[in-house]
Amino acid sequence: MTGDSYSVKQSVIPFSLFTSADIALFQAGSHYRLYEKFGARTTHCDGIAGTYFAVWAPDAAYVSVTGDFNEWDRYSHTLLPRWDSSGIWEGFIPDVAEGSLYKYFIRSNSGEELFKGDPYATHWEVRPKTASIVHALDYKWKDKAWMEKRHQHNSLKKPFSVYEVHLGSWRKPDPMAEEKFYSYPEITKMLVPYVQEMGFTHVELMPIMEHPFDGSWGYQLTGYYAPTSRYGTPQEFMEMVDAFHEAGIGVILDWVPSHFPYDAHGLFRFDGSHTYEYADMRKGYHPDWNSYIFNYGRNEVRSFLLSNAVYWLDKYHADGLRVDAVASMIHLDYSRERGAWDPNEFGGNENLEAISFVKKMNETIYALYPDVQTIAEESTSFYGVSRPTFLGGLGFGMKWMMGWMNDTLDYFKKDPVHRKWFQNDLTFSVVYAFSENFMLPFSHDEVVHGKSPMLYKMPGDDWQKFANLRLLYSYMFTHPGTKLLFMGDEFGQTTEWNYKTELDWHLLKYKPHESLKKYVKALNTLYTTSTALYEQQFDGAGFEWITVNDYDNCVLIYMRKGVHPDDLLLVALNMTPVPRERYVVGVPVPGKWKEVLNSDDAQFYGSGVVNTGIQEGTKQTYNGKDYTITLRLPPLGASILQYIPVK
């Protein structure tokens, strides 16, 4: 090959998609559509088909694109640095087509040489391979009906019952073959009808963004802009979201802007310097997860994360983001000993830069997509996580109620004979239940690392374990707040969750497990059809204690209220295995009550202590109320009654 023909065939043509406004927004930390500029984009330049590449590497002395199209040559396709000191390297390479594999070869100013995947790649090779793939995101969506009405589905005044799923271990083609997965289309055919049958309103997917290590469960990302190729292509994942929407089910994506791993092809020391992470390891290194923390004070990094949040809502029609590890983002001393963290400029432990970013992110998301929700996994008492930023809050739509989860599980683990001494631990949640828009989570974190599956947290013999679990779920679904249940919890998984294999679906052959699943389905039906349970789920006006001081009998009774004064549900919980016959309950209104759900019903593997017929109120002052009804309280059971007003 002659020198002239070599230079023509292998040249990088000067080309840019960036405007001066793009650069200004990028450097101001305010650009929320960088995915339309950065990365690998097939296009035409001067009538020639090829791919435009753009990457941010501000401390690089040399950047080239190396791939299967040039036999991984480091020097044949050198990108051009922009003239505006933005740190962006870019250029158009002719004849590079869809499906081409590539990486960036970067020589740092220090002389260090690195091979990096594309931070904005839309598709990656299946791990353990690490190359990025040129891949367009064209797709014809079919969810117009859902998108037009999803403001109703995602409203904070609507039911929000979430099924949390890890796609790789929900079901597997061969439970004994760790490396074999169903594809996105195959999972879709099984998962969508199941979630619909169970009555959940939303599904939450543990991180589907590309990650190199299965054991991280997706929480250590290298490909922030790509659904994992373990299960197929981006378009196949879009089809999954489409199918959920067609079935009337919202899709929440786990999102991890808190930390990233140190894999050689990832973001860590991207151009030989601390490009994406804090240089000071007191802020930049995460001791718990052996990972690195984004530099929220660097505007280009803020733009990267801001764009990534918007990307999943824009390109994949996600209905919300559950933001992982918010507490670790906003606290400088999170999981650090004294002396291992550096206070902020005011001497406090708040990461002011992270707080500023989170506020900006939520303001941007709700301005662009007012019909989605952001949900914070935040475990501290930090003020206003789910309050608007103009009131000094962080601006999330909801916050996980970690305190409720811990207190509730601690209580239910106790033998019923001891529970009367700990009743206040259970009722304490109502003291702060309306300080945030709380979601009640029983997530994957509660069934791993020796914590035991939900069923085996419960005391007693097998019958009592199932009764306790039905009682626990009854309490969860009637307590103020939205709901989240991890896969397998709905039928009483008997082993801890293991990402390497599938759930124990064979358990559904047995009546106790099949009946528990049936009961969770009934709870979802009750929650989604009873306005008293969701219209005021974040408002103290939607809740009233009826019996809170019967410690000896371990009975708790409360009322849930809809907006209409006659829209009432009465919830009676008996935390002991002793049935309470003719238990007198004071109620504030005249009228009748009808039991609509009982966890001890025989169809749910209960003992059949139920309330049949209509319970008539009697004019009698009792426990501070003007009327009474008399109930049978089932052993380790819940009785839920609907109010029938006087006509």
Side-chain angles (χ1 to χ4, degrees), residues 151-301:
H151 63 281
Q152 299 173 7
H153 298 282
N154 290 338
S155 167
L156 293 176
K157 295 185 178 180
K158 293 289 183 170
F160 223 95
S161 180
V162 181
Y163 187 57
E164 186 190 21
V165 177
H166 178 262
L167 288 184
S169 59
W170 184 71
R171 283 191 184 273
K172 291 180 80 71
D174 179 354
M176 307 309 294
E178 180 185 344
E179 285 296 314
K180 290 186 177 177
F181 301 104
Y182 282 118
S183 66
Y184 287 121
E186 289 168 334
I187 302 169
T188 299
K189 287 178 183 175
M190 295 181 284
L191 182 58
V192 173
Y194 182 80
V195 176
Q196 190 175 37
E197 175 212 340
M198 290 301 297
F200 289 98
T201 63
H202 293 73
V203 66
E204 179 184 312
L205 303 180
M206 290 170 67
I208 50 85
M209 299 81 181
E210 195 57 81
H211 53 284
F213 178 46
D214 292 17
S216 78
W217 312 335
Y219 290 99
Q220 301 260 12
L221 307 183
T222 47
Y224 271 78
Y225 286 82
T228 178
S229 51
R230 286 168 176 79
Y231 319 123
T233 67
Q235 279 77 3
E236 287 173 331
F237 179 62
M238 291 173 181
E239 288 174 355
M240 173 182 276
V241 176
D242 236 347
F244 273 117
H245 287 171
E246 187 178 353
I249 298 161
V251 179
I252 310 295
L253 300 181
D254 265 17
W255 185 56
V256 192
S258 47
H259 62 115
F260 55 88
Y262 55 83
D263 294 75
H265 64 288
L267 298 177
F268 177 59
R269 298 189 71 250
F270 187 77
D271 60 5
S273 68
H274 295 291
T275 319
Y276 284 91
E277 69 275 11
Y278 285 108
D280 183 345
M281 289 297 100
R282 291 176 297 174
K283 291 175 75 173
Y285 176 70
H286 213 302
D288 280 3
W289 302 313
N290 195 21
S291 58
Y292 292 85
I293 300 169
F294 283 104
N295 183 348
Y296 307 106
R298 191 167 194 174
N299 283 341
E300 293 90 344
V301 175

Side-chain angles (χ1 to χ4, degrees), residues 419-424 427 545-558 573 583-586 622-625:
R419 285 179 177 171
K420 64 181 179 180
W421 308 111
F422 299 94
Q423 201 97 321
N424 288 342
T427 59
W545 281 116
I546 299 296
T547 301
V548 72
N549 55 0
D550 188 358
Y551 301 101
D552 286 339
N553 290 318
C554 285
V555 169
L556 285 176
I557 304 176
Y558 48 86
L573 309 176
Y583 190 92
V584 179
V585 181
Y622 183 80
N623 209 15
K625 311 298 181 189

Side-chain angles (χ1 to χ4, degrees), residues 124-131 133 179 181 210 229-231:
W124 292 70
E125 285 186 292
V126 180
R127 56 94 184 101
K129 295 180 178 179
T130 57
I133 303 174
E179 285 296 314
F181 301 104
E210 195 57 81
S229 51
R230 286 168 176 79
Y231 319 123

